[in-house]
Amino acid sequence: QVQLVESGGQLVQAGGSLRLSCAASGRTFSSYAMGWFRQAPGKEREFVGAIGRTGAWTDYTGSVKGRFTISRDNAKNTLYLQMNSLKPEDTAVYYCAAYRSVVVGPLIIPDYWGQGTQVTVSS
């Protein structure tokens, strides 16, 4: 089992940047593919992106491609989400998640979730 704790969420102006972190503890972090999800008020939780176990590949939902970057540091047991050119529609609670499976993506439900961190983008 792995425990996930997100941090870095805050209020930011449109056009600004923010980096979220997700600290993992428990079983070996590098044995999990990782993902980021978000949930805006009144909306369903949606897939933001994912990264493989070694960081060799990443995948993003269309609305964030070119603006968001997922990375990981397996030595530090930490996942990151760099968010640039933020828009008010990026406002949401952001969750990191871990997959036991090597097959990941928008339709695959992660096995472990963090508690979320709030990102608010003002216009």
Side-chain angles (χ1 to χ4, degrees):
Q1 189 165 341
V2 62
Q3 291 78 42
L4 305 171
V5 179
E6 302 93 335
S7 62
Q10 62 179 301
L11 173 65
V12 62
Q13 288 190 334
S17 297
L18 201 59
R19 189 176 81 159
L20 304 183
S21 298
C22 173
S25 60
R27 290 190 60 185
T28 306
F29 176 65
S30 60
S31 66
Y32 297 96
M34 300 294 295
W36 285 98
F37 289 73
R38 66 186 181 186
Q39 187 166 19
K43 295 187 177 182
E44 293 187 353
R45 190 173 299 187
E46 67 168 346
F47 173 82
V48 173
I51 187 168
R53 296 175 177 180
T54 64
W57 65 262
T58 54
D59 185 31
Y60 301 91
T61 192
S63 62
V64 309
K65 277 183 180 177
R67 300 189 300 123
F68 289 13
T69 302
I70 297 174
S71 61
R72 66 190 297 164
D73 186 336
N74 286 345
K76 294 182 178 180
N77 288 355
T78 304
L79 175 73
Y80 302 100
L81 177 65
Q82 177 67 43
M83 304 185 291
N84 298 328
S85 302
L86 281 162
K87 305 175 181 180
E89 51 263 43
D90 294 318
T91 295
V93 177
Y94 283 72
Y95 300 89
C96 71
Y99 300 85
R100 287 184 295 185
S101 171
V102 297
V103 179
V104 301
L107 302 180
I108 307 300
I109 299 174
D111 297 281
Y112 305 103
W113 295 90
Q115 83 291 346
T117 186
Q118 176 70 48
V119 172
T120 303
V121 184
S122 64
S123 57

